[in-house]
Amino acid sequence: MAPLSDNMRGAVYMMVCMAAFVINDALMKSVSGGLTVFQAMFLRGIAATTLVGLLAAYKGALLHRPAPGDGRLLVTRLVGEIGGTICFLTALFHMPIANATAILQSMPLAVTLGAALFLREPVGWRRYLAIAIGFSGVLVIVRPGAEGFNTYALFAVTAVAFMVLRDLSTRRLSRSVPSLFVAFTTAAAITLTGGAVSAFQPWPEVPMTTVGTLAVAAGFLFVGYLFNVMTMRSGEIGFVAPFRYTILIWAILLGVVVFGEIPDSQMLAGSAIVVGTGVYTFYREQRLRIAERRGAKALAPGGRLV
């Protein structure tokens, strides 16, 4: 049997990563009847922070001391990550998992728009059009003003905004900041936030089955992070990135099998629009990167074409 190419290996890693993340989401949703969002964040966070911390310590990442500029970006990133986690889990606890996941898939489009508006990255009319169409797909899923409108869908949309803040801050971090250091500080901050808020909430008696479910959720979250790192080191991003949308397949399957949530035609249509425009945006960005690299190679040191 022939070995997998780098692109195919990256695609497999991405699909495993997405499956792990959505299984974590499903496990978190399964405990929503007995715990608040912040209590679930805290209990899962203890296990997740421990797992990431052990790996970060093994790799020597915990000893990193970020420069002042990186420190400010890390704080901004943490605000985005914490806000995104709270808003997404709030949505997830109160609406179908496939719908919440589908709304979150507009994030690549939102990041492209945010990079153009705040980082002055060039974006052509084709991608602006794709972004507009993609956001219309989100409206089809959310259905504001319609009979099937779920107000918690607005939390999922707000989660996208927070995650854009997270990703734009991450883009500006220097390469000297280890990924594991970022992951550990993120996990610790989310855990501390959950613990601080839940300290003012009445705690129910938590059965060991719930604790075990949250520990397994933390394990899948950890696996998702590992495979995300492996994905970024395998294959071409333009080939691998569209496989992130396989998360919708997992979300629909888990929604049907575990929660009995049957997706309706509006959700499927909106998801198709979001996925289609997202894939097109990945394609255009990859084409532009290739063109930029070719242009750079064609320039002599003095700036003239050779």
Side-chain angles (χ1 to χ4, degrees), residues 6-278:
D6 286 343
N7 277 346
M8 289 306 300
R9 187 180 299 110
V12 171
Y13 291 162
M14 177 65 86
M15 288 188 285
V16 173
C17 169
M18 293 298 104
F21 282 145
V22 81
I23 292 171
N24 158 73
D25 292 341
L27 291 169
M28 290 291 284
K29 184 177 176 64
S30 71
V31 303
S32 62
L35 295 173
T36 68
V37 166
F38 294 99
Q39 290 165 351
M41 279 173 55
F42 176 61
L43 293 177
R44 181 191 65 175
I46 293 173
T49 303
T50 301
L51 289 171
V52 176
L54 289 173
L55 182 59
Y58 175 73
K59 294 290 186 178
L62 293 182
L63 301 178
H64 179 76
R65 294 294 179 270
D70 284 330
R72 288 189 291 271
L73 287 171
L74 280 170
V75 171
T76 304
R77 187 188 185 282
L78 288 176
V79 171
E81 186 76 70
I82 293 170
T85 299
I86 293 170
C87 289
F88 179 69
L89 287 179
T90 301
L92 183 67
F93 277 26
H94 296 91
M95 64 184 298
I97 185 173
N99 292 48
T101 303
I103 293 170
L104 209 64
Q105 298 321 297
S106 65
M107 196 177 68
L109 299 171
V111 169
T112 298
L113 179 62
L117 295 178
F118 302 111
L119 301 184
R120 304 301 180 192
E121 293 187 9
V123 174
W125 67 269
R126 294 180 182 85
R127 280 189 288 168
Y128 276 125
L129 180 60
I131 291 168
I133 295 173
F135 287 161
S136 73
V138 174
L139 291 177
V140 172
I141 299 169
V142 174
R143 282 168 277 180
E147 184 179 346
F149 173 61
N150 185 331
T151 55
Y152 287 102
L154 299 179
F155 280 91
V157 174
T158 306
V160 172
F162 273 115
M163 291 178 184
V164 169
L165 175 64
R166 176 199 67 187
D167 285 3
L168 293 182
S169 302
T170 304
R171 284 191 183 192
R172 301 187 66 183
L173 282 174
S174 66
R175 294 184 178 274
S176 63
V177 182
S179 297
L180 281 171
F181 178 81
V182 176
F184 175 74
T185 54
T186 299
I190 290 173
T191 304
L192 290 173
T193 301
V197 176
S198 63
F200 298 94
Q201 298 174 332
W203 274 83
E205 183 177 346
V206 183
M208 287 305 298
T209 53
T210 299
V211 174
T213 297
L214 291 170
V216 174
F220 276 104
L221 192 65
F222 181 66
V223 169
Y225 169 75
L226 287 181
F227 274 88
N228 184 57
V229 173
M230 292 163 65
T231 298
M232 294 302 103
R233 294 176 177 175
S234 303
E236 301 169 5
I237 189 66
F239 180 88
V240 172
F243 285 90
R244 67 171 282 125
Y245 294 113
T246 57
I247 193 171
L248 275 174
I249 299 173
W250 292 109
I252 291 171
L253 287 174
L254 287 172
V256 172
V257 174
V258 179
F259 303 107
E261 300 167 346
I262 308 297
D264 57 25
S265 58
Q266 289 95 330
M267 180 270 168
L268 294 175
S271 298
I273 294 170
V274 171
V275 171
T277 52

